Amino acid sequence: MLELDLSADIQALRLTYGDIREVLDVEAIRSDIARLSEEAGAPDLWDDPERAQKVTSALSHRQSALARVEGIGQRLDDLEVLVGLANEMGDEESAVEARVELSALTEMINQLEVQTLMDGEYDERSAIITIRSGAGGDDATDFAEMLMRMYLRWAERHKYPVKVMDTSYAEGAGIKSATFEIDAPYAFGTVSVEAGTHRLARISPFGSADKRQTSFAAVEVIPLMEEATEVDIPESDIRVDVFRSSGPGGQSVNTTDSAVRLTHLPTGIVVSMQNEKSQIQNRAAAMRVLQTRLLLQQKEQEAAKKKELAGTITASWGDQMRSYFLYGQQLVKDLRTGHESGNPAAVFDGDLDGFISAGIRWRKRKDDD
């Protein structure tokens, strides 16, 4: 007779789940949703589109966070029912389903537990990721595009909305740089551990000698900050260049000079945007990112820290945080945490949760030291 006993495992998950609910303060999330729902229902909300966007975005984030927490609790309840039915009916198929669900819930609760480790000032915010190719020629620009796809696939797996803000295509393969936004609760706290230099070693598909090629790409992550408008940037400090948006191989996407590049002359920070429909929209998006970077820089200087939150990333030897080996022994290895995967294809297809969780735990230990 079938006797499936998962009670100890389920009880352990319930204890962890209870601790997580307490840390995340579910009742405070409910209060936020009630307040934001009232604001979102105001008849004059859209008289101020910028404020309306902030309110609806905040409401969506809080609703998503609550649904995730409550959904796990419901699935724990359903799992206990499924185990009971499997034992009552002697149903091996239900027993297999229960074991699979236990494994899935264990992973979900582990990920939610990792979220409780994110207590940085900006961790709750959405994230803006910029990828830049480094040393390595065509291999580096191709690698930069591989990393961009990796993060987009990761976001897709989690159903996180993504907005590509700018893409600069290389003359040969891949991209010189790309900037995109991941709009999800705790996106910055989650993906900020991906910031740094990534190194790829493989047999180059662009050479004829079948030699191993090493290339680099830099990943920068900053939070999306509404209060970035507090940074006053004099017009005299900005050089504005407009140019025609382009696609792969330099092909024109449209026939107007709608793309915008802002250069902050005192710091040398450069931000470009080309994926909005008009020059005005691209300039507004670029200004928001520039203001965010300057605000972060100011806060870091005020706190007398050595680096900006986005980090100083050179995309070359001596600065790498993760290596990807696509020859001989297939391996992806994080040099900070020691976490590794023997399936690079899966990693490049967005299977990053293990690396990100290890990175968040590593960062928390480092901050507590």
Side-chain angles (χ1 to χ4, degrees):
M1 180 178 176
L2 174 68
E3 185 169 346
L4 178 66
D5 185 7
L6 301 180
S7 57
D9 297 302
I10 294 174
Q11 180 61 24
L13 288 182
R14 283 199 177 280
L15 288 173
T16 303
Y17 174 68
D19 291 341
I20 290 171
R21 285 181 63 96
E22 185 175 346
V23 172
L24 294 180
D25 198 344
V26 172
E27 291 310 310
I29 295 176
R30 292 185 192 279
S31 297
D32 288 345
I33 290 174
R35 173 180 56 80
L36 291 166
S37 295
E38 186 175 347
E39 291 183 35
D44 61 346
L45 176 69
W46 287 97
D47 291 348
D48 183 349
E50 185 175 346
R51 176 178 173 274
Q53 183 63 41
K54 291 178 182 178
V55 170
T56 55
S57 177
L59 176 59
S60 176
H61 284 186
R62 302 308 276 168
Q63 288 173 330
S64 175
L66 181 63
R68 184 184 183 192
V69 176
E70 298 289 20
I72 289 175
Q74 183 60 56
R75 286 178 66 169
L76 279 170
D77 292 341
D78 293 345
L79 176 58
E80 289 189 321
V81 173
L82 182 61
V83 171
L85 287 174
N87 286 325
E88 182 180 337
M89 305 297 294
D91 184 2
E92 183 60 40
E93 186 176 334
S94 294
V96 171
E97 183 182 347
R99 293 188 184 97
V100 171
E101 178 66 356
L102 176 66
S103 178
L105 280 170
T106 300
E107 178 61 25
M108 291 175 68
I109 289 175
N110 284 341
Q111 290 181 18
L112 198 60
E113 185 180 21
V114 168
Q115 182 178 312
T116 66
L117 303 178
M118 291 185 278
D119 54 4
E121 185 176 359
Y122 308 114
D123 282 353
E124 289 189 12
R125 298 187 178 276
S126 297
I128 296 174
I129 300 176
T130 297
I131 299 171
R132 297 185 181 89
S133 62
D138 285 345
D139 279 279
T141 54
D142 185 52
F143 180 36
E145 187 170 39
M146 292 165 65
L147 290 179
M148 179 180 180
R149 180 185 181 278
M150 179 178 76
Y151 292 119
L152 295 182
R153 288 286 292 125
W154 174 81
E156 182 183 332
R157 284 176 175 226
H158 290 277
K159 296 181 172 57
Y160 295 155
V162 174
K163 178 182 179 182
V164 178
M165 308 170 79
D166 179 63
T167 307
S168 175
Y169 293 93
E171 294 180 3
I175 58 174
K176 294 178 182 177
S177 65
T179 298
F180 51 96
E181 174 188 330
I182 297 180
D183 182 20
Y186 287 93
F188 174 69
T190 301
V191 297
S192 57
V193 294
E194 291 293 299
T197 297
H198 297 239
R199 171 186 172 229
L200 172 67
R202 64 175 175 179
I203 302 298
S204 174
F206 304 103
S208 57
D210 291 332
K211 291 183 179 179
R212 191 185 78 179
Q213 175 70 36
T214 299
S215 54
F216 300 88
V219 175
E220 176 192 82
V221 186
I222 63 174
L224 181 64
M225 299 167 58
E226 290 85 357
E227 69 267 26
T229 53
E230 295 175 1
V231 178
D232 182 27
I233 307 177
E235 286 292 326
S236 58
D237 285 353
I238 302 174
R239 186 177 74 238
V240 182
D241 298 305
V242 295
F243 56 98
R244 187 164 297 175
S245 300
S246 62
Q251 296 178 353
S252 177
V253 170
N254 57 46
T255 57
T256 61
D257 292 333
S258 61
V260 173
R261 180 184 300 110
L262 301 182
T263 303
H264 187 244
L265 300 175
T267 62
I269 294 174
V270 178
V271 178
S272 61
M273 295 290 158
Q274 64 172 306
N275 284 38
E276 299 291 353
K277 294 180 180 179
S278 71
Q279 185 182 126
I280 292 175
Q281 290 173 315
N282 279 318
R283 175 168 177 150
M287 181 62 76
R288 183 175 63 172
V289 174
L290 177 59
Q291 289 172 323
T292 297
R293 288 179 175 168
L294 289 174
L295 181 60
L296 291 176
Q297 188 179 72
Q298 288 178 13
K299 286 181 176 291
E300 288 299 304
Q301 289 172 346
E302 291 168 3
K305 293 180 180 178
K306 294 181 179 179
K307 290 185 177 181
E308 299 176 17
L309 282 177
T312 302
I313 304 165
T314 60
S316 62
W317 285 103
D319 192 38
Q320 58 265 40
M321 49 77 78
R322 184 177 301 151
S323 292
Y324 305 75
F325 300 97
L326 300 185
Y327 72 96
Q329 181 187 8
Q330 302 281 301
L331 182 68
V332 180
K333 184 176 180 63
D334 193 295
L335 306 179
R336 305 159 307 170
T337 66
H339 186 82
E340 61 183 47
S341 169
N343 190 350
V347 174
F348 279 118
D349 197 41
D351 186 9
L352 285 173
D353 286 339
F355 287 97
I356 289 174
S357 294
I360 292 171
R361 295 182 188 279
W362 168 83
R363 180 178 61 193
K364 182 64 175 178
R365 289 194 301 269
K366 186 179 176 183
D367 290 344
D368 290 343
D369 286 345

